[in-house]
């Protein structure tokens, strides 16, 4: 199991478009992947569920914990971290 | 009998045609038939054991995902990439664990598959609707739309679509229904409910068809009119919609139809002329130049501004960098945002960055400020520097660097300036920030064009003195009007005091122009009045050099200015200043605006 904390930097947070990209990317891995909003104390949600990711309320500035468990966990964590940091297809600044 | 219904304008255009009601109006026969259908369905599904029911739902969900992906592709191919994104998201939702796994779980407890899907979709939609962010909570409507689609597939139902070009009428129209209607068959959209951020509005704009929302009583009126048709076969009711005025006419008379058609023709002609004018810079009929720039709220607004041929950015609001976060934006993050916009506009089209207009009102936790009882009279913007220089100095450092990296001269303006001391503080912070950047040997622009927003009456009164200290004025007419008329911008009951064309505001603006002229500096206006064609004419008449407005308004003000001469504008402004209320001023401007529809 691997875990990483990343900050959401998208100007409007993880609304539909970046959330779609994030969930789609998570779906590409065999590992089970969860994402947790560290700011609101709620439990981790399935990163492969677009609806769950949207429901986590990941606004700009939120720190999220991404956890992956499975045969490709290292790659999953690496790719998802990079994807979030580069803005999930949105320009960050 | 013609019925007139008022609604809110949401997308411009004129539509005249038969009503297509969504969903179809429930009739006693229809309800009875649906009751029989439900019973048939339950009998059928009772034969589906758990595993078969699960398979049926899974297959239906995947079919829905395929349909939505195909829809997205069609829209993408039609050149509407943003609209296509709505259906990409819906396609993912169709097989989302939140809907599918939950539906399967409910089936295993013995629930009917169609009901199971409806329940799981409703639960997921309600979960999203509760999120405290409008962009996210609005997606609840998408989940309901997707749930309905899976349900239709399970029941073997086709979506009922119009058979002739029609105006769609509904309480709120699910996005996928709009997208399924073949383009030529959808003339316009009229919603009894809906809001300006509904997907229905966005899709209508993308399609270039009129849309109105909030038409209270529309469905009842249509049903009543349908009842009144005593003919056997129900005849579609005729409707005329004006998306710009928010006007609906049910069963319009022949004269009404002529009026609406004329409006439609005039709109098409104006659009055509405005687009043709885009290649020329802003000017009056006799060639006097008026710079026309755009107001933007984030770097994402830049492409629209460029497309509307803005000659630069007269107001780049920077609050987006500071909102909805727990810590202030870093210098680097800010620098990237400023550089991006500066680069997009290049060295010949200035980008005026407005220093952050934040304070106790906007709920920004890291400022450590208590909420202001009177935010408009409170500790914000330059006043934050009375206590600590950090925030503004960081912003200024980022701007010095961005200018160097983008190879443009940065332009800034400070909001909420009231005194000479405020300006001196601004200059000191600006120069200290420059020294900070240079001492670290980071790239640094050579100079920074520095202006102030004139929105506080004190600054307007001190215009001549302030003009000696800075490079330009930009008048913020929204707040200036608020402060001058002592009327809260947010109170609809005070709307008669919120028109910036009130002579009190105009005389104040005239004073600011006079003060600026005495020092030889230019005056811009970046408030809403600049984007209002009536306002644009009066302001230029008063001697304003530059107008900055929302990109969508530029065509309109460019056209309005191109239809008048300097002599006419002088005459207009003299008479406007001598008026005593805003209505009189608008009456004075009206004949000049009427030229646009000739």
């Amino acid at each position: 199991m691997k875990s990483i904390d990343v900050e959401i930097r998208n100007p409007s947070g993880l609304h539909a478009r970046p959330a779609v990209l994030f969930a789609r990317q998570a779906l590409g891995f065999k590992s089970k992947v969860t994402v947790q909003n560290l700011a609101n104390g709620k439990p981790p949600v399935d990163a492969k569920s677009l609806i769950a990711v949207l429901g986590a309320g990941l606004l700009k500035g939120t720190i999220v914990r991404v956890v992956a468990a499975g045969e490709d966990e290292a790659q999953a964590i690496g790719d998802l971290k990079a994807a979030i940091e580069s803005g999930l297809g949105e320009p960050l600044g | 009998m013609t019925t007139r219904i008022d609604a809110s304008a949401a997308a411009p255009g004129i539509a005249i045609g038969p009503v297509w009601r969504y969903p179809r109006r429930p009739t006693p026969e229809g309800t009875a038939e649906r009751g029989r259908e439900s019973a048939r369905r339950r009998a059928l599904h009772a034969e589906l054991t758990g595993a078969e029911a699960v398979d049926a739902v899974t297959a239906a969900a995947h079919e829905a995902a395929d349909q939505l992906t195909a829809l997205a592709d069609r829209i993408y191919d039609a050149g509407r990439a943003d609209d296509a994104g709505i259906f990409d998201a819906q396609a993912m939702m169709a097989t989302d664990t939140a809907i599918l796994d939950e539906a399967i779980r409910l089936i295993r407890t013995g629930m009917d598959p169609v009901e199971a899907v409806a329940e799981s979709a409703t639960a997921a939609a309600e979960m999203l609707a509760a999120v405290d962010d409008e962009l996210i909570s609005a997606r609840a409507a998408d989940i309901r739309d997707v749930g309905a689609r899976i349900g239709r597939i399970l029941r073997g139902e086709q979506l009922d679509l119009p058979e002739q070009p029609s105006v769609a009428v509904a309480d709120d129209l699910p996005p996928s229904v709009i997208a399924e209607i073949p383009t030529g068959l959808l003339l316009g959209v009229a919603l009894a409910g809906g809001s300006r951020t509904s997907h229905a509005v966005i899709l209508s704009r993308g399609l270039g068809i009129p849309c109105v929302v909030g038409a209270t009583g529309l469905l009842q009126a249509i049903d009543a009119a349908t009842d009144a048709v005593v003919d056997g076969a129900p005849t579609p009711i005729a409707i005329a919609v004006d998306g710009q005025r928010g006007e609906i006419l049910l069963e319009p008379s022949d004269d009404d139809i002529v009026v609406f058609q004329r409006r439609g023709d005039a709109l098409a002609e104006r659009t055509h002329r405005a687009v043709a004018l885009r290649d020329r810079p802003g000017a009056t009929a006799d060639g006097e130049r008026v710079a026309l720039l755009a107001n933007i709220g984030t770097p994402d607004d830049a492409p629209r501004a460029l497309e509307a041929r803005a000659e630069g950015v007269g107001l780049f609001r920077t609050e987006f960098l500071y909102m909805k976060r727990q810590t202030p934006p870093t210098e680097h993050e800010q620098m990237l945002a400023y550089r991006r916009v500066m680069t997009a506009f290049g060295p010949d089209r200035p980008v005026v960055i407005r220093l952050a207009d934040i304070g106790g009102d906007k709920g920004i936790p890291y400022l450590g400020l208590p909420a202001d009882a009177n935010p408009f009279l409170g500790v914000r913007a330059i006043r934050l520097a009375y206590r600590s220089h950090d925030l503004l100095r960081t912003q200024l450092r980022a701007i010095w660097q961005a200018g160097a990296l983008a190879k443009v001269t940065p332009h800034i303006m400070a909001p909420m300036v009231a005194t000479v001391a405020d300006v001196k503080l601004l200059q000191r912070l600006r120069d200290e920030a420059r020294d900070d950047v240079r001492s670290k040997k980071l790239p640094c622009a050579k100079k920074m064009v520095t202006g102030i927003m004139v929105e506080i009456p004190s600054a307007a009164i001190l215009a001549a003195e302030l003009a000696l200290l800075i490079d330009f004025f930009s008048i913020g007419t929204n707040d200036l009007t608020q402060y001058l008329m002592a009327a809260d911008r947010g109170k609809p009951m005070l709307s008669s005091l919120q028109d910036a064309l009130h002579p009190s505001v105009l005389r104040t603006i005239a004073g600011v122009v006079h003060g600026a002229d005495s020092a030889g500096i230019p005056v811009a206006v970046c408030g809403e009045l600049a984007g209002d064609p009536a306002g644009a004419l009066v302001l230029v008449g008063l001697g304003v050099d530059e107008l900055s407005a929302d990109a969508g308004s530029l065509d309109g003000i460019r056209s309005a200015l191109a239809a008048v001469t300097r002599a006419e504008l002088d005459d207009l402004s003299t008479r406007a200043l001598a008026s005593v209320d805003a209505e009189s001023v608008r009456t004075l401007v009206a004949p000049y605006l009427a030229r646009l529809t000739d």
Side-chain angles (χ1 to χ4, degrees):
Chain A
M1 188 177 91
K2 292 228 178 317
S3 165
I4 194 111
D5 291 355
V6 196
E7 187 190 329
I8 303 291
R9 291 157 59 209
N10 299 66
S12 307
L14 245 55
H15 63 104
R17 190 166 278 134
V20 165
L21 274 157
F22 178 74
R24 213 176 250 157
Q25 194 148 7
L27 276 164
F29 296 107
K30 297 202 178 72
S31 302
K32 179 162 144 63
V33 185
T34 63
V35 63
Q36 183 180 21
N37 181 339
L38 292 179
N40 67 6
K42 294 220 179 100
V45 302
D46 182 2
K48 298 179 183 181
S49 162
L50 170 62
I51 294 175
V53 170
L54 285 172
L58 304 177
L59 305 182
K60 178 172 172 171
T62 310
I63 313 276
V64 300
R65 175 160 298 160
V66 182
V67 178
E71 58 187 75
D72 50 10
E73 61 189 35
Q75 194 189 353
I77 287 291
D79 285 1
L80 290 171
K81 171 180 190 283
I84 294 175
E85 283 176 343
S86 70
L88 291 164
E90 278 192 341
L92 289 181
Chain B
M1 210 202 72
T2 309
T3 314
R4 191 198 143 118
I5 299 195
D6 285 320
S8 297
I14 301 286
I16 305 169
V19 164
W20 179 73
R21 190 197 194 281
Y22 179 88
R24 275 233 229 130
R25 185 188 177 186
T27 61
E29 302 79 28
T31 311
E33 171 58 31
R34 263 195 301 285
R36 286 193 289 275
E37 171 59 33
S38 284
R40 266 200 296 274
R41 199 194 347 121
R42 266 195 296 277
L44 189 69
H45 286 141
E47 291 163 28
L48 281 180
T49 58
E52 286 165 348
V54 167
D55 285 348
V57 165
T58 307
H62 284 280
E63 166 73 21
D66 288 343
Q67 287 179 2
L68 288 161
T69 303
L71 199 54
D73 287 343
R74 247 188 19 236
I75 296 177
Y76 191 82
D77 288 341
R80 290 154 49 210
D82 285 345
D83 292 349
I86 296 172
F87 302 104
D88 274 333
Q90 284 201 2
M92 279 195 83
M93 287 175 178
T95 52
D96 196 299
T97 55
I99 295 182
L100 189 51
D101 287 13
E102 175 61 11
I104 290 173
R105 188 187 71 78
L106 289 169
I107 287 171
R108 292 200 170 117
T109 69
M111 200 182 280
D112 169 270
V114 170
E115 236 185 286
V117 167
E119 284 254 341
S120 70
T122 303
E126 279 169 7
M127 188 271 289
L128 272 201
V131 171
D132 188 21
D133 180 275
E134 228 232 292
L135 274 182
I136 294 179
S137 61
R139 301 289 69 79
D142 288 307
I143 295 180
R144 289 185 227 271
D145 196 5
V146 170
R149 177 176 292 265
I150 300 176
R152 280 197 296 273
I153 293 171
L154 275 174
R155 293 196 301 272
E157 276 174 20
Q158 290 287 54
L159 188 58
D160 203 16
L161 293 174
E163 283 151 23
Q164 52 177 328
S166 308
V167 176
V169 172
D171 188 53
D172 194 1
L173 211 47
S176 72
V177 172
I178 298 180
E180 298 262 24
I181 301 176
T183 329
L185 296 185
L186 187 56
L187 298 172
V189 174
L191 303 180
S195 78
R196 302 188 56 183
T197 55
S198 299
H199 274 155
V201 174
I202 295 167
L203 290 170
S204 298
R205 292 222 181 101
L207 289 167
I209 59 175
C211 178
V212 294
V213 302
T216 316
L218 177 60
L219 288 171
Q220 293 89 317
I222 284 171
D223 292 343
T226 315
D227 283 339
V229 171
V230 182
D231 235 17
T235 316
I237 302 298
I239 189 174
V241 175
D242 183 333
Q244 192 147 31
R245 288 181 177 71
E247 214 182 295
I248 300 175
L249 291 179
L250 280 185
E251 300 185 292
S253 68
D254 290 339
D255 288 342
D256 290 328
I257 291 179
V258 168
V259 167
F260 270 64
Q261 272 169 347
R262 281 216 196 109
R263 286 186 200 165
D265 292 340
L267 182 61
E269 173 61 26
R270 271 204 301 279
T271 309
H272 179 77
R273 274 188 291 172
V275 170
L277 265 183
R278 274 188 193 170
D279 292 326
R280 295 198 270 136
T284 61
D286 45 355
E288 185 186 299
R289 281 275 286 118
V290 179
L292 299 178
L293 290 74
N295 296 343
I296 66 175
T298 74
D300 289 339
D301 294 335
R304 266 181 70 227
L306 287 164
E307 204 190 295
R309 302 291 191 274
E311 297 169 42
V313 172
L315 165 58
F316 178 6
R317 299 184 186 95
T318 57
E319 292 76 49
F320 73 98
L321 287 161
Y322 295 83
M323 314 267 278
K324 287 188 177 176
R325 43 186 303 154
Q326 311 298 315
T327 53
T330 63
E331 192 175 306
H332 184 72
E333 190 183 337
Q334 292 188 52
M335 187 280 291
L336 290 175
Y338 306 141
R339 184 181 74 173
R340 196 173 137 213
V341 176
M342 289 171 175
T343 305
F345 281 87
D348 301 324
R349 284 183 292 210
V351 173
V352 178
I353 297 174
R354 182 178 71 181
L355 301 181
D357 191 1
I358 55 175
D361 64 315
K362 297 205 168 117
I364 297 176
Y366 50 84
L367 287 183
L369 284 173
D372 269 321
N374 273 316
F376 284 107
L377 308 180
V379 181
R380 57 193 262 209
I382 190 78
R383 298 165 182 189
L384 296 177
Y386 294 172
R387 204 175 62 139
S388 157
H389 293 181
D390 287 348
L391 218 83
L392 287 170
R393 209 154 138 175
T394 304
Q395 183 167 38
L396 287 159
R397 280 198 299 265
I399 297 171
W400 279 112
Q401 293 171 71
L405 292 169
K407 301 198 184 33
V408 306
T409 303
H411 288 58
I412 60 161
M413 64 182 177
M416 291 296 286
V417 165
T419 63
V420 167
D422 286 338
V423 171
K424 299 227 157 126
L425 177 54
L426 167 69
Q427 291 167 327
R428 192 181 130 204
L429 289 173
R430 177 199 62 195
D431 296 343
E432 284 175 358
R434 179 200 55 204
D435 295 341
D436 287 343
V437 172
R438 283 194 186 150
S439 71
K440 295 208 179 97
K441 308 254 194 294
L442 294 167
C444 190
K446 294 198 178 41
K447 66 171 183 157
M448 188 179 286
V449 174
T450 308
I452 60 168
M453 279 201 59
V454 177
E455 47 191 345
I456 296 182
S458 170
I461 294 167
L462 290 175
E465 286 84 354
L466 295 175
L468 293 172
L469 299 173
I470 45 84
D471 300 319
F472 67 90
F473 286 148
S474 184
I475 304 178
T477 51
N478 306 358
D479 278 339
L480 181 63
T481 305
Q482 179 174 239
Y483 294 126
L484 282 175
M485 307 301 280
D488 190 329
R489 276 165 68 176
K491 287 193 169 8
M493 196 186 289
L494 301 179
S495 58
S496 61
L497 297 172
Q498 292 161 355
D499 190 343
L501 275 182
H502 195 285
S504 302
V505 181
L506 298 180
R507 292 180 197 180
T508 307
I509 292 175
V512 173
V513 171
H514 185 73
D517 282 350
S518 68
I521 66 165
V523 179
V525 174
C526 62
E528 263 165 46
L529 191 65
D532 173 357
L537 293 184
V538 173
L539 289 169
V540 175
L542 290 174
V544 166
D545 304 291
E546 187 181 290
L547 300 173
S548 192
D550 177 75
S553 304
L554 292 181
D555 281 346
I557 59 180
R558 199 182 278 116
S559 302
L561 286 166
V564 290
T565 63
R566 166 44 65 184
E568 285 167 331
L569 289 175
D570 281 345
D571 179 58
L572 171 63
S573 61
T574 306
R575 288 188 290 145
L577 288 173
S579 309
V580 291
D581 55 45
E583 292 76 33
S584 312
V585 176
R586 288 199 178 268
T587 305
L588 290 170
V589 185
Y592 298 108
L593 296 180
R595 292 179 182 180
L596 297 175
T597 53
D598 290 345

